[in-house]
Amino acid sequence: MKIFVAGGTGAIGRPTLDQLLARGHNVVALTRTQERAQSLAAQGIEPAIADVFDFESLKAAVIRAQPEVVIEQLTALPRTYTRESMNATAALNARIRSEGGANVLAAAKAAGVRRFLKQSMAFWGIPGTGLADEETPLSLDASPAVAADARLVTETEHRLLETSNLEGIALRYGFFYGPGTWFNSDGDVAQQVRQQQFPIVGNGEGVWSWLHVEDAAIATVAAAEQGNPGIYLIANDRPLAVREWLPAFAQWLNAPPPPQISVEDALQMEGGANAVYYGTQMRGVSNAKAKRELNFQPRPLEWVVDTAWKS
């Protein structure tokens, strides 16, 4: 198939391009610069030069490419995972996901694209017992940053899934780990853990769902090839509470055990309500639908596997 990718330079975008090429697809990737266009061409990828905020040039690029499928992986996330850096990029990240994503979707519709896949997030199911699934309501009334993300997910997914004459698929990914991510041995969170700057908050019962970036790419290409319209939760088989995964991550890094802080102390910090949500209320997700419909077979979380072997 001919597949157009917007957002092909990020942590998930790069392995997605590699996986598409490995599967024999004809790949077109969006870029803003001539330099990046030359790099894409050298990989065997057709470059399309346009800015996602310039709708007319974007529409012309998609129409010129005439793809069957569009994959939209747009984000503007910082290299460091700190309150300061996340706050500094929040407005641009929201704009590129909302306005930029809407422009890519409208351009795809104008070009007569058959299928459209969009990056989304698996983290925001309402707190509760058991694992969230694709039908679980989102945390629209949670802490400020969480609620804002949940609203953005709701808005962008509804826009896609309600677009007529288009097979829309929202891929709600778990927390990325692996090359090029914050959660890698050379990533920013690893550096924070080594410096004991990434604490367990409260009881550490917040449950995180994990996803290796290469597994994310494999699932994305499977959805492009055979997925049904709708929402898929894409995460590995073992959601873990912070009190489990964070000490294991520290041990894997040969770092000191993570410190613990109380909920009360966390709430005194800037953005503390969000930290409390992540640390104590976040809900893990079920990947049953992805396994059933996409033959999704994710790898185990590497630092938990390694830690188990050491014990």
Side-chain angles (χ1 to χ4, degrees):
M1 291 189 295
K2 192 168 191 180
I3 299 179
F4 187 103
V5 180
T9 60
I12 173 61
R14 290 188 296 272
T16 298
L17 294 178
D18 292 341
Q19 187 65 209
L20 288 168
L21 291 174
R23 294 281 295 170
H25 294 293
N26 185 357
V27 184
V28 183
L30 184 67
T31 181
R32 291 179 295 170
T33 69
Q34 187 62 47
E35 180 182 11
R36 178 60 180 153
Q38 292 173 351
S39 175
L40 290 167
Q43 296 175 254
I45 297 167
E46 179 185 338
I49 301 177
D51 189 310
V52 293
F53 297 126
D54 181 349
F55 176 67
E56 291 303 322
S57 70
L58 177 63
K59 181 174 72 171
V62 180
I63 290 174
R64 187 162 52 246
Q66 284 296 294
E68 298 171 67
V69 177
V70 168
I71 299 175
E72 187 258 283
Q73 300 278 21
L74 297 174
T75 59
L77 295 173
R79 293 184 61 84
T80 58
Y81 185 63
T82 65
R83 291 183 186 86
E84 295 77 16
S85 61
M86 295 297 284
N87 288 341
T89 57
L92 176 59
N93 189 46
R95 184 185 176 212
I96 200 168
R97 287 165 56 199
S98 182
E99 181 185 338
N103 284 344
V104 177
L105 178 59
K109 188 168 173 61
V113 168
R114 173 176 62 86
R115 172 169 291 202
F116 192 105
L117 283 71
K118 176 175 181 57
Q119 177 177 159
S120 192
M121 293 177 287
F123 327 134
W124 306 139
I126 58 171
T129 58
L131 298 179
D133 63 19
E134 287 79 1
E135 304 302 320
T136 301
L138 301 187
S139 295
L140 300 174
D141 299 320
S143 57
V146 172
D149 257 356
R151 287 192 295 269
L152 184 59
V153 166
T154 300
E155 169 203 323
T156 56
E157 288 185 353
H158 283 180
R159 181 168 59 210
L160 170 61
L161 300 178
E162 293 170 5
T163 298
S164 59
N165 302 317
L166 188 71
E167 298 172 0
I169 298 176
L171 299 171
R172 293 184 182 172
Y173 299 119
F175 284 98
F176 290 145
Y177 74 97
T181 73
W182 296 317
F183 295 92
N184 198 47
S185 60
D186 61 354
D188 186 65
V189 170
Q191 299 306 320
Q192 294 181 47
V193 170
R194 291 186 180 101
Q195 296 164 14
Q196 292 193 291
Q197 296 174 346
F198 200 102
I200 297 172
V201 176
N203 56 22
E205 289 185 354
V207 178
W208 293 37
S209 292
W210 294 94
L211 180 63
H212 194 283
V213 285
E214 292 173 7
D215 289 339
I218 291 168
T220 300
V221 176
E225 294 174 340
Q226 67 192 54
N228 295 310
I231 297 167
Y232 286 92
L233 288 165
I234 310 294
N236 73 11
D237 294 332
R238 190 178 174 190
L240 290 168
V242 177
R243 66 169 184 264
E244 298 174 275
W245 72 257
L246 185 49
F249 188 46
Q251 183 179 344
W252 182 69
L253 296 168
N254 293 315
Q260 279 192 271
I261 63 172
S262 69
V263 168
E264 292 74 21
D265 286 345
L267 288 172
Q268 297 304 310
M269 301 185 298
E270 181 185 355
N274 300 313
V276 169
Y277 184 94
Y278 276 74
T280 67
Q281 295 177 281
M282 186 168 284
R283 187 174 180 180
V285 302
S286 167
N287 63 10
K289 181 180 177 182
K291 295 184 82 168
R292 183 175 64 249
E293 298 187 11
L294 304 178
N295 192 31
F296 181 50
Q297 300 176 33
R299 71 199 72 186
L301 188 60
E302 61 187 298
W303 63 78
V304 172
V305 172
D306 288 350
T307 301
W309 279 106
K310 290 177 185 175
S311 61

